[in-house]
Amino acid sequence: MSLEIIGWIAPRISSEIISPSGPVFDLKVIEKTAKIHEKAGFDRVLIGYFSDAPEGSMIAAHASSVTNELKFLLAHRPGFVAPTLAARMLATLDQLTKGRLGVHIIAGGSDVDQAKDGDHTEHSDRYRRSAEYIKLLKLTWTNSEPFNFEGKFYKTRETHSLIKCYQEPHIPIYGGGGSNAAIDSLAPHLNTFMLWGEPLKETREFMTLVRNAAEKTQNSLSFSLSTRPIVGDTEAQAWEKAENILSRAMAMRGSAAAPKPSNIGSQRILSAAAKNDIHDSCLWMKLALVTGARGNSTALVGTPDTVAKAMLEYYKLGAKSLLIRGYDPLIDAEQYGRELIPKLRELVKGYELAQHRNKNRKCT
């Protein structure tokens, strides 16, 4: 069974309904979060990148020291560290964690946020730069002899790294973006293309665009899809919980208007939200409106059975990784481990068995 469940880890607890408090870098929070996710049955946790936050590789290194099997997905923005140095840093961390690292390449969707770290590269060029960056990462990881590289953004001579990844041929590379520039630049190079939770029809159409771009270079990739499950013992309880989260998110935002996103992915989610509050069986869009569809912002609402079935539909489309994060991060992760993840794995197992039987019938 190829399903991967991804969670979220940060150095302090916060969300759209919980104000940050305590130290900016809290070792106890990192340890507790990592242990909860490992016990709950998550395969991997994402460590985000923020222009004002602690550096993610240090979080991964510490979290790995208190876990045994939990893997990590380190968000990384090209443009601030030379790709050859980043390759050595990531390979070192992969060796340290004994093969538990993946990297999530983020080109950067906000000009304002990029500028905070001194990057003023235009949006489409950030994706083209990311493509070169990934090429250099792979070359540095896999070449046994020194090599030269010359592109639009990077030029190296006699590049060589003594340290290689623990995983072969190298650590898995994730990435994403909603624009044509993102698809054209990244699809040929990624192992996993990451998506936010959109309606099934739009998700299917977008996946087709990405697959077509990947196939031009014979790259076989899979997908990851991110949502925010809101789970209750009954449908009524789940929706009551959802409305409570919405009220708290609106209260935290106050009188300020929701930010207007510049990235295409968020704009697409807001467009779907304007059409309907609920899409498909239980994809709820109202929280995306409150936050301006910033990041992972659409919710799947219902009982564990309802939400697991909704997630299975994304798996059927090709989302072999499913990233789930709650609005009360630790409590929700524990609940997912008790009620949602086992049901989802059972559904995926049944689906894969049925697919295998059908394939065998066609061959006989």
Side-chain angles (χ1 to χ4, degrees):
M1 184 171 60
S2 58
L3 174 66
E4 178 182 63
I5 302 292
I6 306 176
W8 172 267
I9 189 169
R12 64 175 171 176
I13 297 171
S14 66
S15 76
E16 294 85 346
I17 64 171
I18 300 174
S19 298
S21 62
V24 171
F25 187 80
D26 192 326
L27 290 177
K28 291 183 179 179
V29 168
I30 295 170
E31 293 167 9
K32 185 176 182 181
T33 305
K35 290 177 179 178
I36 283 175
H37 279 79
E38 183 166 66
K39 184 178 179 181
F42 285 81
D43 299 293
R44 193 183 293 273
V45 286
L46 173 64
I47 303 167
Y49 181 106
F50 303 95
S51 59
D52 59 356
E55 199 279 316
S57 66
M58 299 296 102
I59 298 171
H62 186 62
S64 72
S65 72
V66 297
T67 54
N68 297 309
E69 298 180 357
L70 187 67
K71 297 178 182 179
F72 305 95
L73 182 56
L74 180 65
H76 180 79
R77 284 187 189 175
F80 307 109
V81 177
T84 50
L85 173 56
R88 300 195 301 275
M89 292 168 60
L90 292 166
T92 304
L93 186 54
D94 194 43
Q95 291 286 345
L96 178 68
T97 61
K98 295 184 178 180
R100 291 192 279 157
L101 183 66
V103 64
H104 175 24
I105 298 296
I106 302 176
S110 166
D111 293 342
V112 173
D113 200 51
Q114 291 293 117
K116 292 178 181 178
D117 274 335
D119 182 33
H120 301 278
T121 307
E122 292 184 0
H123 176 269
S124 58
D125 275 346
R126 290 201 293 268
Y127 282 108
R128 296 185 185 100
R129 179 178 63 188
S130 295
E132 276 191 23
Y133 201 91
I134 295 170
K135 289 178 184 178
L136 260 171
L137 288 178
K138 291 180 179 179
L139 286 169
T140 307
W141 287 331
T142 58
N143 273 33
S144 58
E145 300 295 331
F147 66 90
N148 298 333
F149 181 90
E150 185 163 354
K152 178 181 178 181
F153 301 94
Y154 299 104
K155 180 179 180 180
T156 72
R157 289 290 179 268
E158 294 296 306
T159 301
H160 183 241
S161 175
L162 292 174
I163 188 162
K164 305 299 182 183
C165 298
Y166 186 96
Q167 300 169 80
E168 295 182 355
H170 54 71
I171 68 175
I173 303 174
Y174 298 62
S179 66
N180 290 333
I183 296 171
D184 293 340
S185 298
L186 298 182
H189 306 291
L190 299 176
N191 299 115
T192 301
F193 201 103
M194 300 191 76
L195 314 172
W196 289 328
E198 296 185 59
L200 290 168
K201 178 178 178 292
E202 285 79 359
T203 300
R204 183 185 298 106
E205 291 171 351
F206 188 80
M207 284 180 170
T208 298
L209 293 176
V210 174
R211 285 193 181 101
N212 290 342
E215 288 171 359
K216 290 178 182 178
T217 55
Q218 289 77 53
N219 182 38
S220 177
L221 52 67
S222 63
F223 294 90
S224 174
L225 187 130
S226 304
T227 58
R228 309 289 291 274
I230 301 173
V231 178
D233 291 338
T234 65
E235 298 292 335
Q237 287 179 6
W239 284 103
E240 182 180 357
K241 182 178 177 181
E243 291 293 345
N244 179 260
I245 290 171
L246 178 64
S247 297
R248 293 172 65 184
M250 293 175 68
M252 272 194 66
R253 192 189 75 187
S255 58
K260 294 183 179 180
S262 58
N263 66 82
I264 301 298
S266 294
Q267 292 173 11
R268 207 164 49 233
I269 287 174
L270 290 179
S271 177
K275 295 175 183 176
N276 287 300
D277 290 342
I278 302 172
H279 288 263
D280 304 318
S281 63
C282 63
L283 181 67
W284 193 46
M285 313 298 289
K286 277 193 173 182
L287 283 159
L289 292 173
V290 173
T291 61
R294 185 179 179 183
N296 182 8
S297 58
T298 55
L300 293 171
V301 184
T303 64
D305 281 329
T306 297
V307 173
K309 288 175 182 176
M311 293 173 72
L312 176 66
E313 294 306 310
Y314 289 113
Y315 179 88
K316 290 178 181 178
L317 294 181
K320 304 305 181 183
S321 296
L322 294 168
L323 191 155
I324 53 176
R325 176 163 64 98
Y327 288 93
D328 196 338
L330 300 189
I331 291 174
D332 288 342
E334 289 179 316
Q335 184 186 27
Y336 297 159
R338 289 192 310 270
E339 302 171 8
L340 180 59
I341 293 175
K343 289 184 181 295
L344 177 58
R345 292 197 189 280
E346 184 180 351
L347 287 174
V348 168
K349 183 178 180 180
Y351 170 76
E352 291 291 354
L353 286 172
Q355 291 292 102
H356 182 69
R357 290 193 197 101
N358 290 337
K359 184 178 180 180
N360 286 341
R361 288 194 193 101
K362 290 178 181 179
C363 293
T364 57

